[in-house]
Amino acid sequence: MSLSVQAAVTASLDRDHIAVGEAVRLLLQRDGSTDDEPDIGPLRRDFDVLGSSKGSRVQIINGHASSQTEINLVLAPKHDGLIHLPSLQWAGEMTPALEVVVGGHATGPSAPAAESSHVFLTATLDQNHVYVQAAVVLTVKLYSSEPLHEASLELPANSDVLIKQIGDDKQISESRNGDDYQVIERHYVLIPQRSGPIRLAGPILNAKLVAKQANDPFGNDPAFANIFGRWRLPSFPGFVTATRPFHLRAKSIELNVQPRPAGAAGSHWLPAQSLSLEESWRPETTSIHTGEPLTRHLRLTAHGLTGGQLPDINTLLLAPDGIKLYPDQPQTEDRLQGATVQGERAQDIAFIAQRPGHYTLPVVRLSWWDTVHSTQREAMLPSRQLEVLPAATGASSATTSPPAQPAPVIKPPTSAKAALPAGEHLNSTSLPWPWISLALGLLWLVTWYAKWRTTRHTTQATPTRIADDAASTALPAGSALEAFRDACRNNDAQAARRHLLEWADATWPTHSPLGLNALSQLLDNETLAEQLRQLDRACYMNAAWEGETLARSLSSPLVKKTAVGPEKDLPGLYPEP
């Protein structure tokens, strides 16, 4: 190592010229012993500090004792070119300034990052124009022509962008400028949470490279090492297994995020490259009987959005009076479609009619924003006519049965031998049929008697038990409303929502709302409905909420709408801001 000017505090580098991705060691020395630490903050502008160690040594020469404190720092440059290491303050002294050259093509710190000839990273976005809350795919590729050990690749977190890895890493071989590389390909989904320019730190690779010597007979032979340390060099006598740290940072990622356009309508903000809404029915019929389920399978697919960003399909449906909806749990899935993420949300919803009649299922509409053409579009499912017939059991007694068709005649086989496989015979005298019939009859009598005793005991005990259960679980409307107001005073959104729904259930037992969105449709007060939606969003997003305004609004008499609207669940993951 080339030592700097002799002084009470010295600084030196193990090398003054390194390749891109390599680390440099900085040695700080100070005469005497001290517990103080040097201020290395100025180094972090151009370097990542990978590690540090501290030690001291004492020498006694001719009865004279001297001590020295040493600190070793492992530094990884954040860019190539000529980098200045500033003076550092240590226990009242200043270290000398140093310089190091990173790479061989740059002339200064402002020069663009150069690719290492052996290991380098690339990061590309699938689209340049990004809307707020739209998903963009970042593809990261790691190229390596020599083995990497204990390698890790990460994308630093950012408070303005949701980052999620999608899919598994893919390993391929690729030729570039006449050299063969092993390539690791990884995909991330980025979802910006605000508009405006956003800068993300580039992907970071931490690994170890084999420090080869002249007596290494295998050199770069990939048969003895593979990327990400899946294989390792054999540690036979005479083989070199020493490694050196390798730290590589790709260029930062620039996102210019556009806000939601003023012309974007609809209660859901869905910026996508394409969006489709499909349906299928089981069974595929236009008529059912009362009480029979008719399942509607809905699938919502979007390019440029994840499945978690798509709205709850159940909230898009409107059911006419007389038909109940029973939604199943939705299924979401994300996959790569080319270079873009494709999100899917599928859900089964059962329709059960409570009385016969002719019903019209209304049109299903969903507005979304076309990011390719910057225009508003709408996905739609047409209306459907449904004929509900009386229950099958009631129809047979109230209406005339259709003429019975002659039952098909089943001819018995000509002999017992003809109904069995070849070589088998049936001997009726060898089977104890009378005894089996007698045993089955006795078993039926015992079962009937046990059931009669159980039914008689249950009939006598059930009324009292049901009355006791109802008295113990029923919550009066007044108590629920008072508990709701206490929750509002404490700004507890979850408790306020729970007690408010209990009050609504006691107030409208025949039209009990499933959620706050459904409750807002029962009230003839648009201001109160908006406050309920704010409470719903606060519960769903676990955000801060103030309940004084809502409590004051509910202190006045409430007016119920004359027509009860359809019941809806909570809004989707990304409601309208």
Side-chain angles (χ1 to χ4, degrees), residues 393-425:
T393 55
S396 60
S397 60
T399 60
T400 303
S401 301
Q405 299 293 331
V409 178
I410 301 178
K411 296 183 179 180
T414 55
S415 64
K417 294 182 181 181
L420 297 173
E424 295 188 13
H425 299 272

Side-chain angles (χ1 to χ4, degrees), residues 383-565:
S383 62
R384 182 182 178 93
Q385 304 298 320
L386 186 62
E387 189 71 27
V388 178
L389 305 175
T393 55
S396 60
S397 60
T399 60
T400 303
S401 301
Q405 299 293 331
V409 178
I410 301 178
K411 296 183 179 180
T414 55
S415 64
K417 294 182 181 181
L420 297 173
E424 295 188 13
H425 299 272
L426 181 63
N427 188 355
S428 60
T429 60
S430 63
L431 298 178
W433 295 115
W435 296 105
I436 294 177
S437 301
L438 179 60
L440 292 176
L442 292 175
L443 181 62
W444 178 82
L445 288 175
V446 172
T447 304
W448 176 85
Y449 177 76
K451 183 173 180 174
W452 174 77
R453 290 292 303 271
T454 303
T455 304
R456 180 183 177 187
H457 180 268
T458 304
T459 304
Q460 296 174 353
T462 297
T464 303
R465 180 177 57 84
I466 293 177
D468 294 340
D469 290 347
S472 61
T473 60
L475 185 64
S479 300
L481 187 58
E482 186 61 29
F484 161 75
R485 289 169 179 164
D486 290 339
C488 289
R489 284 190 289 268
N490 296 327
N491 295 327
D492 188 348
Q494 299 291 345
R497 181 183 183 277
R498 181 174 65 254
H499 294 308
L500 185 58
L501 291 178
E502 291 175 351
W503 168 78
D505 184 68
T507 304
W508 297 296
T510 58
H511 295 290
S512 178
L514 298 179
L516 297 182
N517 193 24
L519 176 60
S520 65
Q521 299 183 19
L522 293 175
L523 304 175
D524 193 11
N525 190 327
E526 183 58 28
T527 302
L528 180 59
E530 177 59 27
Q531 295 173 7
L532 292 177
R533 285 192 287 268
Q534 293 178 6
L535 172 60
D536 209 359
R537 282 194 291 267
C539 293
Y540 196 73
M541 301 173 65
N542 197 21
W545 174 75
E546 295 184 359
E548 180 181 357
T549 304
L550 181 58
R552 188 167 54 250
S553 299
L554 280 175
S555 62
S556 58
L558 301 179
V559 180
K560 179 182 174 183
K561 291 183 180 179
T562 56
V564 178

Side-chain angles (χ1 to χ4, degrees), residues 65 67 136 140 154 185 192 404 421:
S67 62
V136 58
V140 179
E154 63 174 344
E185 183 176 306

